[in-house]
Amino acid sequence: GSAAPAATSAIIDLDSIPGQIGHAILRASDGTILRPPTGSLTEQDLMIVYRMMLEIGTVLEGGTGGKDDDNNTSNEVEEGLQRVTVGFKDVSYAVTLGGSDGCLYIVKKKSSL
């Protein structure tokens, strides 16, 4: 079919997340920056967080579809969004995998400790 894919990035408004001090969107399969980092989030932060996600591994497995997806549209990932938060002393990074588009949504927040 030629139906346009749902624009997930339009639905998830990262600017509206309370307490966020920066955000970006990466492609889960290879770490390509799809939306450049804003605020105090840097590309170096993104690469560190992305490497952590690769170490965890299981988070990313649901996000990249194989070549069979075109023929078998009923084989959608049922879980939807999966989320990991990496906390440091001063900041935390919330990483959410968008199941339908294979993107990682990364939000940097001030730690509430």
Side-chain angles (χ1 to χ4, degrees):
S2 60
T8 312
S9 54
I11 298 166
I12 301 175
D13 181 12
L14 299 178
D15 283 315
S16 68
I17 296 172
Q20 64 90 13
I21 54 175
H23 54 74
I25 300 176
L26 301 183
R27 186 182 300 129
S29 57
D30 60 6
T32 300
I33 297 173
L34 301 178
R35 186 184 292 174
T38 65
S40 68
L41 184 64
T42 65
E43 287 194 22
Q44 186 179 356
D45 291 340
L46 292 180
M47 292 305 102
I48 292 169
V49 171
Y50 183 71
R51 281 201 297 272
M52 285 186 210
M53 294 300 103
L54 292 179
E55 294 282 322
I56 296 169
T58 53
V59 179
L60 300 182
E61 283 172 13
T64 54
K67 291 179 179 152
D68 301 344
D69 284 2
D70 294 338
N71 307 331
N72 189 3
T73 52
S74 63
N75 197 14
E76 299 275 326
V77 177
E78 295 290 327
E79 294 91 45
L81 294 175
Q82 295 173 288
R83 194 169 141 187
V84 173
T85 301
V86 182
F88 296 96
K89 189 173 138 227
D90 298 320
V91 296
S92 66
Y93 300 90
V95 184
T96 303
L97 177 65
S100 60
D101 58 8
C103 293
L104 287 174
Y105 298 86
I106 299 174
V107 177
K108 183 177 182 179
K109 295 178 160 189
K110 285 189 173 163
S111 290
S112 53
L113 295 176

